[in-house]
Amino acid sequence: RTRASAMHAAPLIATVLVLLGGLSAESTAIQTRRSTGSASDGSGLALREVYFDHDGKAVDLSELIRSKQEEAVAKAVEEERARMARRKLDEENPCPTPFPTPSPTLLPTLSDQPTVPGLPIYQPTSTTAYEYSSAQFSRTIPTQLGWLTAVTVFNLYNNELTGPVPTQLGLMTAMKQYFRINSNVLSGTVPTELGNFGQLTSGFQIRKNQLNGALPTELAQLSAVTVQWLVEHNSFTSSIPTELGMLNVEVNLWLNNNEFCSDVPSQVEALSSSMTSGFQDSSNDIGTPCGFDDAWPKLPSVLPANTRSLGDAYSSSSFTGTIPTEFGLLTAVQILRLETNELSGACPTELGLMSALTANFKLNDNDFTGPLPTELAQLSAVTNSFLLHKNSFTSSIPTELGMLNVATYFWLNNNEFCSDVPSQVEALSSSIGGQYQDSSNDIGTVCGWTSSMVDSRFPTLNGWTSTTSIEYNNQQGLTGTIPSEFGLMTEVTAFDLGT
């Protein structure tokens, strides 16, 4: 070969050697020379492509390529064998820790929290004390801490923790000495699972946060706590749970500075009187019906069973919605005044169970609809006022109301009562010393009758037999058949279905 052709091939040879790896950049600067020797074909000249390294040693290019290939294959085989061995070991011996692989989103990083770290997450499962008070930790309480089931002391007092209280903390059933998450910025409701701390003897402190909602009744299961049961300075609403009366706190039961409403249950009052010191429930809405100050207030569905009066605080108060059926459980209530609100819906039959009502039963000036429950006749102890006027009650006046003993005011006017007034109710009206009113109704009209309706049909007459007149003449559009119930109207003296 000529020197020119050899030098032209040199860059290609250098490139192949670099791709094979294992050759330094230095050794790629090679010289290609012509080498002579005995030719196997008898020509007397043989050409070989070689390069000389810095030591002057000639290396055959084809031999170098073959050796590099063998080394690469051997290395790949060895790495695959090692990988398979590690995989088999992992399958036979799984990692004993219950924690998942750390996630960068859970751990503090210099880029997003350079000075305020999050709480340590990964701890030995044998950890018995998790204490990081006054350490300026922020972020949320990690849910993974629930795996520390051997913890007896948990103290995160006075940090800057935010977000909800994880339900997983309820897995720490060995909690015994104290549980403190007070003086943070925690929000949301309290998990019912915290009631699992049945061995806790002191220091249940969730005070000074932004927790809200109703206090879970399950917290009454912390009956072993005798000192420091503190939930004050939050935004807890609804009534104080009656079940808290089962606690055995002797020193410091603080419920103050929340939004608790209604009366303090008698069971909790009894507990407060038995304590050595430190019962507080001030700065709440105690004595005010729950929901009273809402923009659209609703009647409370839960009230203490010993409530005796639903009086002035419940009348003319812009209450909306329906009357809770739970009112029927208030068997100690003597006064029910729900007049002049914006209540609607049907009158609950359960009101007939309020057997202690004696003075007033007032539902007037609302938007009640539907028939009156016959069960209201069981309120026979009401003697002063029985007022149902200015609503939209329909159907006939129940005969059973004749069993009432109202002596002063019995007002049924301005509704949509139909049919005739039962003779029993008429008898009651004649015995009332004050006032009886049933005007501005549809008294005397068959219930359900609407003369202006196209394709009107006769209504069911509900078995009333005291009607004296059936006159529907000139009522265009009346169709269907004559009800057989008309035959029961034995007092009818006028009957006209003409035209």
Side-chain angles (χ1 to χ4, degrees):
R1 301 184 181 211
T2 65
R3 179 177 298 277
S5 63
M7 292 306 295
H8 182 270
L12 176 60
I13 296 170
T15 301
V16 171
L17 293 174
V18 171
L19 291 174
L20 285 171
L23 295 179
S24 67
E26 243 178 51
S27 63
T28 61
I30 64 173
Q31 292 180 350
T32 304
R33 300 179 180 178
R34 183 173 64 188
S35 175
T36 61
S38 300
S40 59
D41 58 1
S43 65
L45 179 62
L47 294 177
R48 291 186 302 159
E49 292 181 356
V50 299
Y51 83 96
F52 294 86
D53 59 18
H54 292 292
D55 296 329
K57 182 180 178 181
V59 180
D60 188 291
L61 179 60
S62 61
E63 186 67 28
L64 177 63
I65 293 174
R66 183 173 61 255
S67 64
K68 289 297 183 181
Q69 289 175 336
E70 290 175 353
E71 289 177 7
V73 171
K75 182 178 179 181
V77 171
E78 185 62 28
E79 290 178 350
E80 180 64 18
R81 286 176 177 172
R83 188 182 70 81
M84 295 298 293
R86 288 195 301 270
R87 180 178 178 181
K88 183 177 181 182
L89 182 62
D90 291 341
E91 291 176 350
E92 294 177 352
N93 301 281
C95 181
T97 177
F99 299 117
T101 302
S103 169
T105 60
L106 295 177
L107 298 175
T109 63
L110 292 178
S111 61
D112 62 0
Q113 290 277 359
T115 59
V116 186
L119 286 168
I121 298 177
Y122 302 107
Q123 304 283 320
T125 55
S126 59
T127 300
T128 58
Y130 191 89
E131 296 193 83
Y132 293 97
S133 63
S134 302
Q136 296 185 334
F137 281 115
S138 65
R139 302 188 180 187
T140 59
I141 300 177
T143 58
Q144 292 91 335
L145 297 185
W147 289 104
L148 303 178
T149 55
V151 164
T152 61
V153 174
F154 191 80
N155 188 4
L156 302 180
Y157 160 72
N158 194 30
N159 283 286
E160 299 173 11
L161 299 170
T162 60
V165 180
T167 59
Q168 290 84 349
L169 296 187
L171 298 173
M172 298 177 167
T173 55
M175 196 74 63
K176 188 172 184 179
Q177 295 184 38
Y178 48 80
F179 176 81
R180 296 174 181 166
I181 57 174
N182 49 307
S183 300
N184 282 284
V185 200
L186 299 171
S187 58
T189 58
V190 176
T192 59
E193 289 79 0
L194 298 192
N196 295 335
F197 300 158
Q199 300 185 57
L200 188 64
T201 58
S202 64
F204 179 74
Q205 299 189 27
I206 60 176
R207 58 194 287 253
K208 293 187 176 180
N209 280 289
Q210 297 177 5
L211 301 170
N212 53 47
L215 203 61
T217 58
E218 288 80 359
L219 296 185
Q221 299 171 19
L222 307 181
S223 56
V225 176
T226 58
V227 178
Q228 293 186 336
W229 206 99
L230 312 178
V231 302
E232 93 281 3
H233 283 94
N234 280 288
S235 297
F236 292 121
T237 58
S238 192
S239 56
I240 298 173
T242 302
E243 291 80 358
L244 295 190
M246 297 186 293
L247 294 174
N248 293 298
V249 180
E250 298 175 0
V251 177
N252 294 347
L253 173 59
W254 294 354
L255 306 172
N256 54 288
N257 291 88
N258 281 286
E259 298 175 20
F260 290 122
C261 50
S262 190
D263 296 328
V264 178
S266 58
Q267 296 88 335
V268 177
E269 287 183 339
L271 172 63
S272 67
S273 63
S274 67
M275 291 174 54
T276 303
S277 62
F279 175 81
Q280 296 187 26
D281 63 1
S282 60
S283 298
N284 281 288
D285 294 326
I286 301 298
T288 300
C290 294
F292 186 79
D293 291 327
D294 291 345
W296 297 98
K298 302 289 190 298
L299 290 172
S301 59
V302 179
L303 288 171
N306 61 347
T307 300
R308 294 185 177 276
S309 175
L310 301 178
D312 293 342
Y314 292 85
S315 66
S316 304
S317 299
S318 300
F319 282 118
T320 61
T322 59
I323 299 177
T325 57
E326 290 85 353
F327 272 29
L329 302 175
L330 303 176
T331 54
V333 169
Q334 299 176 353
I335 297 174
L336 179 65
R337 292 187 54 190
L338 303 180
E339 78 272 14
T340 318
N341 283 292
E342 298 177 22
L343 299 170
S344 58
C347 178
T349 59
E350 288 81 1
L351 296 188
L353 300 175
M354 303 176 74
S355 55
L357 282 174
T358 55
N360 296 311
F361 180 81
K362 296 182 178 181
L363 302 183
N364 55 287
D365 291 274
N366 281 287
D367 297 312
F368 294 117
T369 58
L372 275 181
T374 59
E375 288 80 0
L376 296 185
Q378 300 172 20
L379 305 179
S380 56
V382 176
T383 58
N384 186 24
S385 298
F386 199 98
L387 306 181
L388 303 172
H389 60 286
K390 293 185 178 180
N391 282 287
S392 297
F393 288 118
T394 58
S395 193
S396 55
I397 299 173
T399 303
E400 290 81 358
L401 295 189
M403 297 186 294
L404 293 173
N405 294 299
V406 181
T408 307
Y409 299 103
F410 186 25
W411 291 359
L412 305 173
N413 54 290
N414 293 88
N415 281 286
E416 299 175 18
F417 290 122
C418 52
S419 191
D420 294 329
V421 178
S423 57
Q424 295 89 336
V425 176
E426 286 184 339
L428 172 63
S429 66
S430 63
S431 66
I432 292 177
Q435 296 185 14
Y436 169 82
Q437 295 188 24
D438 62 6
S439 60
S440 299
N441 281 287
D442 294 326
I443 302 298
T445 301
V446 176
C447 293
W449 172 254
T450 304
S451 61
S452 62
M453 291 177 60
V454 176
D455 194 30
S456 298
R457 298 178 184 272
F458 281 112
T460 300
L461 301 182
N462 298 323
W464 293 109
T465 59
S466 58
T467 299
T468 59
S469 175
I470 298 178
E471 296 186 78
Y472 299 124
N473 57 312
N474 299 315
Q475 301 293 345
Q476 300 298 321
L478 192 62
T479 62
T481 60
I482 298 176
S484 59
E485 290 90 345
F486 277 15
L488 302 176
M489 305 291 186
T490 56
E491 299 185 19
V492 168
T493 58
F495 186 88
D496 188 356
L497 304 180
T499 317

